[in-house]
Amino acid sequence: MRRSLRIAPCALALLVLAGAVKAAPAVPQAPLTARTLTYIWRAWGTLTRSTNDCASYPSGPHRPQRVLYLPKRLPMPAAVHALAAGCHVSVRRLPVSIARLGSLQPATLGAPGLLYLPHPYVAPGGFFNEMFGWDSYFIVLGLVSDHRDALARGIVDNFLFEVRHYGAVLNANATFSLSRSQPPLLGEMIRTLLKDPRAFPNRLAATAWLRRAYPLAVQDYSLWERREHLAGNTGLARYFDYGGDQPAIELRSAAYYRGVIRFLLGHPGENRGYLVHAARDPDPAAAAKLAEVSCDVRTSRVCAAAWFGGYRLTGKFYRGDRAMRESGFDTTFRFGPYSGSTIDYAPVGLNSLLYRYARNLAAFARRLGDGAAVRRWSAAAAARKQAINRYLWNRRLGQYTDYDFVTGRRSYYPFITTFYPLWAGAASPAQARAVRDALPYFERAGGLQTSTYASGAQWDAPFGWAPTNWLAVSGLRAYGYRADARRIAAKFIATVNRGFAHDGTIREKYNMATGTSKVRITAGYTENEIGFGWTNGVYVKLWQLLKGARPSPCIRCRP
């Protein structure tokens, strides 16, 4: 049963404070941790994919066709020629050169497929077979920590290839992603490589590589300055997908959208203009009208089947749904039911990442001796920090919360991204202290849950994920809250160990209330995939933290 999504903040605070578990577990037992680390070491190989490898083109319901697309003007790589001949993969060229994300609509291609990348990469796990945008940052952290330096560098070079040939870092190297990106972490991946003494032969080689990478990072950052990605006149950014008012093209079934309609009919108070009364089988005139207010049943089978109880979803919902997928938080109720209003919000997480991105670009420009660019990026970071403080700092909650720039209202939906400004270095010491004091909202037996609302979606309570736990731990450490960071790290490692001891697997998400991998999702995606790339990477980093490896520099330690 889902809880009401509107709980008074004071009552909510009492609920979460009563349910918080702060007891710190002991450092996880060495034998079990050793077995988990061994599994992870071997998993890097089993999760490695290449668009040049026949094994990366499995058949099955998620991959109905074996197709690889090359950039229009890229010379045919020899390995791809062999792939076409020996693996029954259809190799095609994109019909146009892509300078900007969204200039080629995936729906115009004859068949879905993978997008070519020149280097091997690590897929998340489960049925996922692609290189994903924000997953890969946490994977790179783990690879560097595990001395898989060549594989880590190849992944970052793949993202630079994406920017050059596909317009930006993509959600994934698949045709469905040609209309959207993911949380912007390319700058951090570049920074991670430059800090790795094993990634390059010497500093001179690293700087030469940076000279080639820097303009592509600038191009990737510029995506978030495009008009469509701006959160009104706030000076902040929002998530946005350039695919229009249509269902997400990667979905083969309308079951997800029928579930949304079913929920909204059962919770009419949560409907934010997401429903339109419509026939199940509209005549031509009604179908033409639906294409204007909903989606086009004449061109999309998923759209045609997305009907329940006399209703369809509006184009507004589909725009928000696509933007939610760019956010990586698919699905949470943080931006309305099923995050259907994602495009109306300036999110804390996105803008914290962009603040850090601008700081990284300033550092890269400084290393390359470009003083004008240093000043430009420093000013961009300062302006975004000012906007974050103006619109996203919620004094009443003592947390950073998202901002609905359409209505001009702050969100009161506590979410794990409140820790992102600490990771990014955008918080003042007083703000960091307030966020640290908000730990009882999120901390449970197994680590940090994503929100305080049990919506039934995988990115809400009581579920927790490796990437957000890592960013929160890193942010707390950066401001001097090392005991809190170690306690949460120990809890999360113990949770992963517990799941591994139970069934010999590492999962994409965990139940923070029970500290186990037993999750029951009732809204949106219900599976708990095995693998799992970013959990592996974060586990290795958290283990190093607990073992006393060299700490990251304190951004603004407490006095």
Side-chain angles (χ1 to χ4, degrees):
M1 181 179 296
R2 296 186 182 90
R3 215 183 310 165
S4 169
L5 297 184
R6 291 194 173 94
I7 302 176
C10 56
L12 174 63
L14 291 174
L15 286 173
V16 298
L17 288 169
V21 179
K22 294 198 75 171
V27 174
Q29 293 181 353
L32 183 54
T33 299
R35 291 197 295 273
T36 308
L37 289 168
T38 300
Y39 172 92
I40 291 171
W41 175 261
R42 293 171 178 166
W44 294 133
T46 59
L47 293 173
T48 297
R49 304 285 185 270
S50 170
T51 55
N52 296 327
D53 185 355
C54 296
S56 294
Y57 301 88
S59 57
H62 294 289
R63 303 289 182 268
Q65 293 180 275
R66 295 156 64 91
V67 182
L68 174 66
Y69 286 90
L70 292 174
K72 181 177 176 61
R73 292 188 171 84
L74 184 76
M76 173 69 76
V80 172
H81 182 76
L83 182 77
C87 305
H88 306 292
V89 172
S90 175
V91 177
R92 310 180 186 184
R93 287 199 177 274
L94 294 173
V96 297
S97 296
I98 301 174
R100 305 179 82 201
L101 188 70
S103 60
L104 174 62
Q105 289 299 319
T108 63
L109 299 173
L114 287 179
L115 297 170
Y116 173 77
L117 294 173
H119 305 289
Y121 56 87
V122 175
F127 70 85
F128 299 110
N129 210 39
E130 303 88 356
M131 182 183 79
F132 280 77
W134 77 310
D135 293 61
S136 294
Y137 167 60
F138 305 95
I139 289 169
V140 164
L141 288 178
L143 290 172
V144 168
S145 297
D146 263 350
H147 305 305
R148 303 293 185 99
D149 309 288
L151 184 53
R153 179 172 169 181
I155 290 172
V156 181
D157 281 332
N158 279 341
F159 282 117
L160 298 173
F161 183 91
E162 283 190 351
V163 177
R164 184 183 299 279
H165 293 284
Y166 306 128
V169 167
L170 301 178
N171 182 166
N173 65 309
T175 52
F176 72 79
S177 292
L178 286 170
S179 63
R180 66 173 180 259
S181 185
Q182 274 218 308
L185 284 158
L186 176 59
E188 276 302 300
M189 285 189 263
I190 292 172
R191 178 174 177 264
T192 299
L193 276 192
L194 292 174
K195 290 172 58 182
D196 178 14
R198 300 172 301 272
F200 303 94
N202 51 53
R203 181 175 175 82
L204 187 63
T207 301
W209 177 84
L210 176 61
R211 198 171 299 280
R212 296 189 296 272
Y214 172 74
L216 294 170
V218 171
Q219 180 183 339
D220 179 59
Y221 183 95
S222 70
L223 168 71
W224 305 96
E225 297 179 309
R226 288 171 61 176
R227 178 182 59 81
E228 295 88 350
H229 269 101
L230 297 181
N233 61 359
T234 61
L236 299 169
R238 66 173 179 175
Y239 288 109
F240 185 85
D241 183 299
Y242 292 88
D245 300 353
Q246 295 294 323
I249 195 169
E250 69 270 24
L251 296 187
R252 307 291 178 192
S253 163
Y256 178 86
Y257 295 119
R258 287 195 295 269
V260 175
I261 298 170
R262 188 179 298 111
F263 173 86
L264 293 172
L265 291 177
H267 302 77
E270 302 299 334
N271 181 16
R272 299 189 182 186
Y274 298 150
L275 294 178
V276 57
H277 194 272
R280 183 170 191 168
D281 300 303
D283 59 32
K289 180 64 176 176
L290 279 175
E292 297 176 3
V293 300
S294 177
C295 56
D296 196 337
V297 300
R298 301 164 298 184
T299 60
S300 168
R301 288 186 299 175
V302 172
C303 172
W307 179 94
F308 180 82
Y311 288 89
R312 294 183 178 276
L313 294 166
T314 60
K316 171 185 170 65
F317 178 86
Y318 286 122
R319 289 193 300 275
D321 176 72
R322 284 173 167 269
M324 175 268 291
R325 296 168 194 279
E326 182 176 72
S327 79
F329 292 104
D330 46 349
T331 304
T332 167
F333 279 45
R334 157 191 179 201
F335 300 129
Y338 293 83
S339 282
S341 293
T342 300
I343 58 173
D344 292 348
Y345 285 84
V348 171
L350 171 59
N351 287 284
S352 300
L353 296 180
L354 289 171
Y355 170 76
R356 180 79 164 240
Y357 206 158
R359 288 181 59 197
N360 281 331
L361 289 172
F364 301 156
R366 185 175 297 109
R367 179 162 176 169
L368 296 174
D370 189 340
V374 172
R375 292 188 291 275
R376 173 196 169 191
W377 293 117
S378 297
R384 192 171 299 275
K385 179 178 178 180
Q386 183 178 28
I388 288 171
N389 280 322
R390 178 178 178 183
Y391 293 104
L392 306 181
W393 176 244
N394 190 323
R395 284 189 174 86
R396 184 175 171 190
L397 273 185
Q399 297 182 43
Y400 291 92
T401 58
D402 308 307
Y403 180 72
D404 185 338
F405 66 91
V406 175
T407 64
R409 296 175 181 171
R410 300 183 191 280
S411 169
Y412 280 87
Y413 198 107
F415 203 73
I416 191 79
T417 49
T418 190
F419 295 96
Y420 279 40
L422 278 64
W423 170 85
S428 70
Q431 288 168 324
R433 189 177 303 113
V435 171
R436 181 262 182 188
D437 289 344
L439 274 171
Y441 282 80
F442 306 99
E443 188 174 352
R444 296 295 182 267
L448 299 180
Q449 63 183 8
T450 51
S451 79
T452 57
Y453 292 104
S455 69
Q458 64 178 2
W459 284 99
D460 275 320
F463 310 117
W465 298 67
T468 48
N469 269 263
W470 170 251
L471 293 176
V473 165
S474 299
L476 289 166
R477 277 178 61 81
Y479 282 81
Y481 297 102
R482 296 178 184 267
D484 295 305
R486 287 181 61 83
R487 183 180 69 252
I488 294 162
K491 285 184 174 185
F492 194 82
I493 280 188
T495 296
V496 176
N497 281 349
R498 204 172 289 117
F500 185 74
H502 174 70
D503 61 12
T505 66
I506 292 180
R507 301 285 178 153
E508 67 173 346
K509 54 185 171 280
Y510 292 87
N511 186 322
M512 296 292 96
T514 62
T516 69
S517 58
K518 296 177 182 179
V519 302
R520 181 174 178 271
I521 310 297
T522 59
Y525 304 108
T526 59
E527 300 300 317
N528 193 4
E529 300 296 338
I530 295 172
F532 196 84
W534 63 14
T535 311
N536 297 352
V538 167
Y539 185 99
V540 172
K541 294 294 291 184
L542 293 176
W543 174 77
Q544 287 183 339
L545 184 156
L546 291 178
K547 294 295 288 184
R550 181 185 300 177
S552 57
C554 182
I555 296 172
R556 280 186 179 168
C557 289
R558 287 181 295 170

